[in-house]
Structures are given as structure tokens and as C-alpha cells.
Amino acid sequence: MRKPNLGSLKRRFISLFIALVFLVLSVTGVIAFVQPFSIGVVGLHALTGFLFVILALFHIVNNIRPLKGYLHSKSLWLTLIITAGLTVLFFKQPQPV
């Protein structure tokens, strides 16, 4: 039986950690939205948000080769155009009456 290499373990650890941090970020976001203001919930949400960004950077570094391959796909550019269009529509929506 082969032992997994260090790169594979690091990739698995970062992916799992990102998933867990995203779960905490999601739960604290929902709690902050539905309950009265709590400095503890907002603080935890902000901390996990920063941690999520840092882990996302590690994830990008670990997966740079496959991500470069996506830059040449038509679906990426279509997704970016749709996302940009929806973002513009969101910010340009009319004021409520």
C-alpha cells in the first residue's frame, strides 16, 4: 500500500479546512442576519471571512496548473460575462418607491 505524498495531503487538508471555514462563515452569516446584533457572532464571522480568503489563496497556489487550463475554456468566459451582467443589474436597479 502506497503512502500519499505530502502535496496530496496538503491539498486535502486545505480543501477540507476551506469547507469547514465556509460552513462556519455561512452559519454565522445567517445568524447575524436573523438575530439581533451580537459582537461575538459578527467577530467570528469577520475572523472566518479573513481566514477563508487566506485559505482560498493557498488553494489557488496548490491548484494553479488546473486553474490555468480553465482560462482557455469558453465556459469560464461565459460565466464571467453572466456574473458581470448580474452584478451590474444588481447595482443599477431602481430605487424603491
Side-chain angles (χ1 to χ4, degrees), residues 18-75:
I18 286 175
L20 292 174
V21 168
F22 181 74
L23 178 67
V24 173
L25 191 62
S26 301
V27 169
T28 56
V30 169
I31 290 172
F33 184 74
V34 298
Q35 286 190 345
F37 181 79
S38 166
I39 193 71
V41 171
V42 173
L44 180 59
H45 184 75
L47 180 66
T48 54
F50 288 125
L51 188 59
F52 185 77
V53 169
I54 292 168
L55 289 170
L57 291 174
F58 279 119
H59 179 72
I60 290 169
V61 168
N62 278 339
N63 296 295
I64 194 71
R65 191 173 295 153
L67 291 173
K68 283 182 181 178
Y70 293 134
L71 290 176
H72 301 293
S73 70
K74 291 180 182 179
S75 61

Side-chain angles (χ1 to χ4, degrees), residues 3 9 12-13 16 19 21 30 55 66 70 77 82-83 86:
K3 289 174 31 179
L9 285 175
R12 288 180 190 176
F13 174 75
L16 181 61
V21 168
V30 169
L55 289 170
Y70 293 134
W77 296 106
I82 291 171
T83 303
L86 290 173

